[in-house]
Amino acid sequence: MAEEERGICVRDVAADAFITAYAEHLKNSDKFELPVWSDLVKTGTFKELAPYGDDWYYIRAASIARKVYLRPGLGVGALRKWYGGAFRNGVRAQHYKKANAGIIRSVLIQLETMKVCEPCSAGGRKMTRVGQQDLDRIANAVFNEAEE
């Protein structure tokens, strides 16, 4: 009996490999633009410095797209919790702080203009059919590259 071929989706690929590939796709796309403020902002109040890498915005956008793909209905608040971290107060006790909402919101708005995700009726965002096909196509390319 012949083994059936099934489609490769984002769940079948390692997260870091997929995020790197999709970030490169977004960087080469003319629809996704880097904001002018991207070299000035921190990713959260708990950070001391802005990100060092030049493509950090594309990597964050790819990571957000993957999160929305895996969990439909995910909103800005849930993503703020996910990307948050420890706010270190020197010798005092550290506390958890949420990430910057403006960055997450701007990424989601750009993904909406690219028709990758759309607002969900219950709140949050979900992937469109075009966005799901796009992410699955890139996941398939990453899977095939890892097999070779």
Side-chain angles (χ1 to χ4, degrees), residues 53-104:
D54 293 334
D55 353 343
W56 72 268
Y57 190 78
Y58 298 110
I59 293 169
R60 177 62 57 97
S63 176
I64 288 173
R66 181 178 178 275
K67 287 275 174 214
V68 171
Y69 179 97
L70 295 175
R71 293 187 60 194
L74 205 61
V76 175
L79 289 167
R80 284 185 72 191
K81 285 183 206 163
W82 176 257
Y83 292 110
F87 182 63
R88 299 174 65 199
N89 291 318
V91 296
R92 294 174 291 162
Q94 66 182 16
H95 298 288
Y96 178 81
K97 293 282 187 178
K98 292 181 180 176
N100 188 342
I103 296 170
I104 295 170

Side-chain angles (χ1 to χ4, degrees), residues 22-34 58 114 134:
Y22 193 60
E24 193 63 35
H25 170 74
L26 291 175
K27 192 174 183 179
N28 295 335
S29 172
D30 57 342
K31 296 178 185 175
F32 197 84
E33 297 176 2
L34 191 66
Y58 298 110
M114 289 177 61
D134 194 28

